[in-house]
Amino acid sequence: MTQWFRRESLGGENFIRGYNPDPTQNPIKVRNRIRASQLITQSIEIQYTLFEKKSHSNMELGLDQIWFFDIGLGGETFQQMINNKPIMGFGIGFRIFVSGVGTIRLDFGFN
């Protein structure tokens, strides 16, 4: 029973963007691959500046855009991970830089 507390979700902002962390909110064909205790993930992002950081009345603001591709694989055992198919997500995002606040991330992912 304790294995349920050690499960991670491939979906969501931490791993594969474009999938919901709740398995029941995803397409039927990937529901059984969203949560697992063992995960392997990889993300590739291309980021470039849309508006360089500039001071506006004592506040520094800037905007970057990203394109991303995420892929992940999960399972309860190594053999199960080998037998499962990976899930993939892709999309675009924005990084808003605000002095005093930090970076605000807005990502729009698709699966």
Side-chain angles (χ1 to χ4, degrees), residues 59-76:
M59 184 177 279
E60 193 174 54
L61 298 170
L63 178 67
D64 282 7
Q65 183 176 10
I66 66 157
W67 293 90
F68 65 84
F69 175 75
D70 301 332
I71 187 167
L73 184 61
E76 299 301 321

Side-chain angles (χ1 to χ4, degrees), residues 6-108:
R6 291 181 284 163
R7 293 169 65 101
E8 295 279 348
S9 177
L10 281 171
E13 61 191 40
N14 293 333
F15 296 111
I16 310 298
R17 293 166 279 191
Y19 289 89
N20 195 311
D22 179 2
T24 63
Q25 301 298 314
N26 290 290
I28 292 172
K29 66 181 182 176
V30 297
R31 284 184 185 178
N32 63 344
R33 294 187 272 159
I34 294 291
R35 288 220 175 126
S37 62
Q38 309 294 319
L39 304 178
I40 297 174
T41 63
Q42 182 63 49
S43 292
I44 298 171
E45 290 186 358
I46 298 172
Q47 181 172 342
Y48 56 93
T49 301
L50 291 177
F51 299 105
E52 286 192 33
K53 290 182 190 176
K54 292 186 180 177
S55 288
H56 299 284
S57 54
N58 296 331
M59 184 177 279
E60 193 174 54
L61 298 170
L63 178 67
D64 282 7
Q65 183 176 10
I66 66 157
W67 293 90
F68 65 84
F69 175 75
D70 301 332
I71 187 167
L73 184 61
E76 299 301 321
T77 64
F78 181 71
Q79 188 63 38
Q80 192 179 41
M81 288 179 72
I82 292 171
N83 293 335
N84 277 346
K85 292 180 180 176
I87 63 172
M88 295 173 265
F90 62 93
I92 63 169
F94 297 96
R95 303 294 180 261
I96 304 164
F97 304 101
V98 181
S99 61
V101 175
T103 304
I104 300 168
R105 295 175 46 153
L106 299 170
D107 294 335
F108 303 96

